[in-house]
Amino acid sequence: MTHDYRRHGTTTLFAALNVLDGTVIGTCKRRHRHKEFLAFLKQIDRNTPKDLDLHLVLDNYGTHKHPNVRAWIAEHERFVLHFVPTSCSWLNLVERFFAEITNKAIRRGAIDSFVQLEDTIGDYLRLHNRDAKPFE
């Protein structure tokens, strides 16, 4: 960072990485509460074949265990949540994907607002999914 670096805010990227083909379902939200997480789960539900069981590997963040989230999961049996320690190697895969976004889309950009940041991330996700490959 330079002496004149200004941070224009942050966003939360909710991302579901398909480990088989490398595609990502993702969305940016201004906050990371159970309401936003539930909206993301519903997005995953809409965008995946109904005949698939979905195994989500999550950290132990409280939002993921909120009573409303637990109730929704109980009604949607195809969703299976696996909670792992925060430093677990499964999460390294997701962190690697986030690093790709940073390195390829955000780091050298001139981003002046939340909207521009979220648009940049969305554009990267669309570009990534056109030629997605699993991480090796």
Side-chain angles (χ1 to χ4, degrees):
M1 290 187 269
T2 62
H3 71 283
D4 59 348
Y5 171 80
R6 268 190 54 210
R7 186 172 180 161
H8 297 285
T10 61
T11 188
T12 295
L13 172 59
F14 289 89
L17 172 64
N18 182 331
V19 296
L20 295 178
D21 66 12
T23 58
V24 176
I25 297 171
T27 188
C28 291
K29 300 285 185 183
R30 299 288 168 95
R31 300 186 67 184
H32 190 142
R33 300 172 300 180
H34 78 278
K35 294 175 187 180
E36 289 82 11
F37 184 59
L38 275 173
F40 180 59
L41 290 175
K42 293 172 185 176
Q43 179 182 356
I44 295 170
D45 193 35
R46 285 189 308 272
N47 289 286
T48 54
K50 299 296 181 205
D51 60 328
L52 293 180
D53 288 339
L54 303 172
H55 291 262
L56 280 63
V57 178
L58 304 162
D59 63 12
N60 284 297
Y61 193 62
T63 297
H64 303 148
K65 296 180 177 183
H66 189 278
N68 293 351
V69 172
R70 289 182 187 263
W72 190 88
I73 292 295
E75 294 173 6
H76 296 81
E77 294 179 358
R78 75 188 193 117
F79 281 78
V80 180
L81 304 186
H82 302 275
F83 293 99
V84 296
T86 302
S87 60
C88 178
S89 62
W90 265 99
L91 296 177
N92 291 343
L93 189 62
V94 174
E95 292 297 331
R96 183 68 210 122
F97 180 74
F98 288 171
E100 291 287 314
I101 294 172
T102 301
N103 292 332
K104 293 181 178 178
I106 297 172
R107 178 160 288 139
R108 289 175 185 79
I111 298 172
D112 296 327
S113 68
F114 283 114
V115 173
Q116 193 175 15
L117 175 61
E118 292 171 348
D119 288 347
T120 299
I121 292 170
D123 291 345
Y124 180 81
L125 292 176
R126 283 185 287 284
L127 182 65
H128 169 83
N129 284 336
R130 282 189 204 148
D131 189 34
K133 294 176 182 64
F135 283 97
E136 294 182 13

